[in-house]
Amino acid sequence: MNSVGRPTAPSIDVETISFKSLLGGRGLLQSEKLIFEWDDYSRTGVDFADIAIDTSDLDGLIRDDLSLPGLTEPEAVRHYVRLSQKNHAIDLALYPLGSCTMKHNPRLNEKMARLPGLGDIHPLQPVSTVQGALRLMDSLAHWLKTLTGMPAVALTPKAGANGELCGLLAIKAAHEAKGQGHRRTVLVPSSAHGTNPATAAFVGYTVREIAQTADGRVDIEDLKAKIDDGIAAIMLTNPNTCGLFERDIIAIADLIHAAGAYFYCDGANFNAIVGRVRPGDLGVDAMHINLHKTFSTPHGGGGPGAGPVVLSEALAAYAPRPWVVAGEGGLVLEEHGEDASQANFGRMCAFHGQMGMYIRALTYMLSHGSDGLRQVAEDAVLNANYIKASLSDVMSVPFPDGPCMHEALFDDRWLEGSGVTTLDFAKAMIDEGFHPMTMYFPLVVHGAMLIEPTETESKAELDRFVAVLKALAEAALAGDVNRFKGAPYLAPAKRLDETRAARQPRLTYS
């Protein structure tokens, strides 16, 4: 008995118990079928009257029965709540994906994005009815230009890779307008995001890789050796994908400009320098900004995203249409310019962008202010260096000299001889309640583990995360291989047979 007269529960070692619930649930976590596996197709949660439609003009293009089950409202709500309980979320714990900036999304942003007149806006509304939205876009454009020190911005691109496409199309148009269409090569560092060379190839450029120095930065001598009069641009991320600031960035820009080429900066890591460094001051000609990374909305799950591209004076004339300008009756979206060079590029997409992301980003900027945005970068860098310093005594660091920026990078040298791989270690993190960090990226680091804590994590949460990784590291080095090879043990779904999935994929549900 305890002090208040209640029976004391006996100590139980759950690791020694082989127990499976009768229906597949786990404690208060319900077992849940796929929506296709529900077996009641006879009902629906909404009553519709029978209607007769003349389909003679559809030439037989009639949708067949979708064979979807009917769900009542409680069943539909429970289905999605149960699915959400099987996912890790930024609202549950630290989300350590490196290069992804999974930080807290302030609820104020969501409240603003749902305001009447903005949350229900339609892209085909008359311009006279969306003056507030156009003013918001104009204000967002102003602050993006202010934060980057660039004179122009294209808001249209939907995400990072779409922004890369925008920037390279502007560069291509600029070269062709000057009669330099022969420039067909884009230089890309070996540590770049994979979308960089993919986008360059998509535009029709040849990609040449730039080597990396022993300390994780662009090899200037290799860059010099690969510059010629066929170079169109360099695509460089700063801070780079190893979590390091390219200290020779201005020298790189000078070399590229002297060769008649342009400097495209991948802005995926702008979160590390926002409010501290203006990319325009570094010689950047074009840079996309992931609004869904730098300005608060965690990305993933297919969207939504937005990747506006800021442009230097040299490229401003080649931005895609349309853009917001002041007209006689108010703000308008300018569709047709008199500048002939615009014919070399045109539109990026049917509509102008993602209004919800514009609202969230501007709300984030205005609620933080200039001093707050500066603190965003400072705290992001502080937290990443805290992670690096706290774990470097048990995990190996490929670039140990000096501080990192917004993300800490580890390799797998410390696991040699343990029988545990980077993948095993990451899977074991799931059993401890944390989403794995980014694995095996960047490719220039063997067995890479890339951790980005972001500025929104407290020291207490960082300490909890560090304690888990240290305990797992000690278990791996102590030879507790079974803990890792079968992990995750406690997740609703166990580890996939990735080899079989690749060789015998099931591409349709049956």
Side-chain angles (χ1 to χ4, degrees), residues 278-295:
R278 300 194 310 174
D281 298 336
L282 305 177
V284 171
D285 291 302
M287 185 183 86
H288 75 263
I289 304 171
N290 300 76
L291 296 185
H292 51 285
K293 292 175 68 172
T294 302
F295 301 109

Side-chain angles (χ1 to χ4, degrees), residues 419-433:
V420 176
T421 66
T422 290
L423 178 65
D424 297 331
F425 188 82
K427 294 296 186 182
M429 289 174 62
I430 298 174
D431 285 333
E432 303 298 330

